[in-house]
Amino acid sequence: MKPGLAFSFGYDDGSLHALTSARTEAEVLLRDVYSLPEIDLDDFSVLFVSMHSDQRFLASRAPQIEEYLAGGGVVVANGHYAYPYLPRMAGFHTIDNYRLSDITVLRVAEHPIWHGIDPHDLTFRRGVSGFYGRVWHDAPADAQIIHALGKPDLPLDFIYPVRRGRVLFHGGNDLWSFGGDDKQLAPRIMQWVAEGRDVQ
Amino acid sequence: MSLAILDGGTFYHHAAIHGGRYRELFDKTIYAPELTTEALAGVTFLIVPDRINPNVLRARRDVLIDFAKAGHTLVVFGENRADTWLPGVTWAARPTNFWWWLDKDARPPNRLLAPDHELFQAVPFENTIWHFHGVLTPPAGARVLIDVPADPEGRDSGGALLYEDRVTLPGRMLVSTLDPFYHHGSNFMPAATKLLDGFLPWAREKALRPGRGGI
C-alpha cells in the first residue's frame, strides 16, 4: 500500500507524534500543509487532516482534494468544519453550556476501527469528558454514522463516499490520539484503508 | 490607532476571531499568510494568537519585527515557536501536565509576580491559570508578569509564562506560552474564554488610546 500523508503545521504536537510513531500498515509521512500545491496526492493512500490544520488554506485547494477523493483517495479529517475544503460537508453545531449528557459518545454502528473500544472510554479521559468531541456536524444523507454526540441523530464520527473515494470525518480532537496504547487507532485506520483498497 | 489580529485559518481561530463574541473588537483581521507591512498600516496593537503555523511567521518575521521597531505593541501567545522568529525569546519545552487540577489538593505552580501591572486590572490572575506548554526565559531588562518554579522532575529551572519586553526593540512585546484562542475556539475551557473576555477589550482600549497606562 502507498504511504499515508499527514499535514503538519509547523510546531511539535503530541497528536502528530501519535500518528507517525504508530506501527502502521504503511508509513505515514509528514508534510507542511502549505506544500499541498506541490504534492501529487495520488502518491498517497490516505490523507490525514489534523484539527490544527489551516482550513482556510485547504478550502483554497478544495478542487485538488475533491479530485483525489474522486479518484479513490481517502481523507481522514478532524476538528470542527469551518471552511469548505471537503465535498458534501456542511457546518457544525455547538452546544451552549453543555452537560455530560450532551457530550456523551454514543455508538450508532459497529466499525472495525473502533472494535473493542468502549464508547465510555471515548467520552472520558481520566474522568474528564469532552476531548473526543463537543460539537456535532451535519452529515451527508448517505453517510454511515459510527458515533453520535448526546443523541443518536447528532453525528460525531461518520464515513461518506465521494465517487470512488471516502471521507472519514471526526468532529473532535484528532482521532488517532485515542484508543490507548493497546488499541491505537492509527494502525486500525491504515488497516481499514488497506482493506478498502482490496475491495476496489 | 487600531487593533489587528492574525488569523491562522484553523477552526478555532475562525470561532474565536470571526465568532460573535469578539469580532467587533478587531479593527482588522489579517490572514497570517497574507501578512505584509502594508496590511499593518494604521495598526498600533497586533495580536499573534496561539498556534499560528510558525513556518508562516518565520517567513514574515521582518514584518513583525519592523512593527515592534516602530514603537507599537505586539502580543504573541503560545505554540508559535516565537523563539525561532522574535528577538529576545528563549523557550524550553516542558511535557504538559493537563491534569494538575484533578487533585483537589493540588495548587497550580503559576505565580503572579507583577500584580500592579495594568493588564491584571482587566484579566484576573486566576483566569490565566491552566496547563502550560513550556517556559520562557526573558531577556535581561524584561519584566516577568507570571512565572512557574523549577520543574519538579528537574527538566528545567522554571521560567516565565508571560513577560513584557520593552528593551529588546523600541516597541512593547508581551510574550506568553498560554494558548487561549485554541481553547476558547474549541469550546473546551472556560478559563481561556474568561482570559479573552478581559484581554481583548483591554487590547482594544490600548490600541485606541495608547497614551494611557504607560505604553
Side-chain angles (χ1 to χ4, degrees):
Chain A
M1 187 169 74
K2 295 173 186 173
L5 172 66
F7 290 134
S8 56
F9 33 82
Y11 57 88
D12 289 333
D13 184 87
S15 159
L16 286 185
H17 181 74
L19 183 60
T20 54
S21 65
R23 282 192 212 159
T24 49
E25 174 102 6
E27 64 179 334
V28 178
L29 305 178
L30 283 178
R31 298 280 293 275
D32 189 272
V33 64
Y34 298 114
S35 62
L36 175 55
E38 292 87 53
I39 294 174
D40 183 351
L41 291 178
D42 290 334
D43 291 339
F44 300 95
S45 57
V46 53
L47 187 57
F48 292 97
V49 179
S50 164
M51 63 173 166
H52 296 302
S53 298
D54 178 350
Q55 293 186 21
R56 178 167 166 168
F57 172 76
L58 290 175
S60 76
R61 304 301 304 174
Q64 184 185 6
I65 295 169
E66 180 161 7
E67 186 180 342
Y68 167 68
L69 281 162
V74 178
V75 174
V76 178
N78 297 266
H80 305 172
Y81 189 75
Y83 292 90
Y85 68 93
L86 290 171
R88 310 189 59 216
M89 276 292 291
F92 65 92
H93 304 265
T94 56
I95 304 167
D96 291 336
N97 304 313
Y98 52 76
R99 295 168 299 174
L100 175 58
S101 59
D102 296 317
I103 57 168
T104 298
V105 179
L106 305 177
R107 180 149 301 153
V108 179
E110 293 298 324
H111 190 280
I113 290 176
W114 293 270
H115 178 71
I117 296 176
D118 189 332
H120 180 272
D121 294 334
L122 300 174
T123 301
F124 293 100
R125 182 182 278 180
R126 296 204 194 187
V128 181
S129 59
F131 287 93
Y132 194 77
R134 302 166 298 282
V135 308
W136 59 277
H137 282 75
D138 296 307
D142 56 351
Q144 178 191 15
I145 314 292
I146 313 297
H147 291 118
L149 192 70
K151 299 188 179 109
D153 57 345
L154 306 182
L156 173 58
D157 290 299
F158 50 91
I159 297 166
Y160 68 90
V162 178
R163 297 197 36 204
R164 292 174 55 213
R166 293 169 291 171
V167 173
L168 162 54
F169 193 89
H170 168 65
N173 289 14
D174 288 344
L175 183 58
W176 48 81
S177 63
F178 296 89
D181 291 338
D182 58 331
K183 293 168 186 161
Q184 289 184 348
L185 293 189
R188 291 166 172 232
I189 295 169
M190 292 302 278
Q191 181 70 29
W192 170 71
V193 171
E195 287 166 3
R197 296 266 153 178
D198 292 342
V199 171
Q200 289 162 10
Chain B
M1 300 293 177
S2 66
L3 174 64
I5 188 164
L6 295 189
D7 176 359
T10 69
F11 77 80
Y12 42 85
H13 292 132
H14 184 269
I17 295 167
H18 301 281
R21 193 177 188 98
Y22 304 125
R23 69 175 164 233
E24 300 298 325
L25 296 172
F26 308 117
D27 297 300
K28 193 178 280 189
T29 298
I30 304 167
Y31 180 44
E34 296 172 353
L35 174 66
T36 59
T37 299
E38 293 70 33
L40 291 172
V43 175
T44 48
F45 195 118
L46 176 64
I47 299 168
V48 180
D50 43 277
R51 298 178 186 267
I52 304 282
N53 189 318
N55 293 327
V56 170
L57 297 170
R58 279 191 287 270
R60 288 152 190 80
R61 62 179 295 175
D62 290 348
V63 175
L64 293 158
I65 292 168
D66 285 349
F67 178 79
K69 275 185 179 171
H72 302 314
T73 298
L74 179 63
V75 181
V76 181
F77 284 97
E79 299 296 82
N80 280 321
R81 292 307 308 270
D83 55 309
T84 63
W85 53 270
L86 191 63
V89 180
T90 306
W91 175 79
R94 188 194 281 195
T96 304
N97 176 11
F98 293 102
W99 311 106
W100 62 270
W101 52 280
L102 287 181
D103 179 352
K104 285 194 168 42
D105 297 324
R107 296 175 65 87
N110 310 37
R111 302 186 293 205
L112 175 61
L113 300 188
D116 58 328
H117 191 280
E118 55 172 326
L119 174 64
F120 297 108
Q121 294 170 21
V123 180
F125 172 55
E126 59 265 30
N127 294 344
T128 68
I129 297 172
W130 63 82
H131 65 263
F132 53 92
H133 299 272
V135 292
L136 297 160
T137 303
R143 185 182 189 195
V144 178
L145 305 185
I146 298 172
D147 82 345
V148 290
D151 178 33
E153 297 181 35
R155 291 169 293 207
D156 61 62
S157 54
L161 303 188
L162 172 65
Y163 70 81
E164 180 178 57
D165 178 1
R166 294 170 178 261
V167 295
T168 302
L169 296 172
R172 154 153 106 161
M173 295 186 284
L174 283 161
V175 184
S176 179
T177 61
L178 294 172
D179 54 349
F181 286 87
Y182 167 50
H183 291 291
H184 165 73
S186 300
N187 285 44
F188 201 25
M189 220 168 56
T193 303
K194 289 178 187 167
L195 185 149
L196 294 180
D197 281 350
F199 169 73
L200 291 175
W202 177 81
R204 178 167 182 80
E205 178 70 15
K206 289 289 132 187
L208 297 180
R209 296 176 185 79
R212 292 188 186 177
I215 287 188

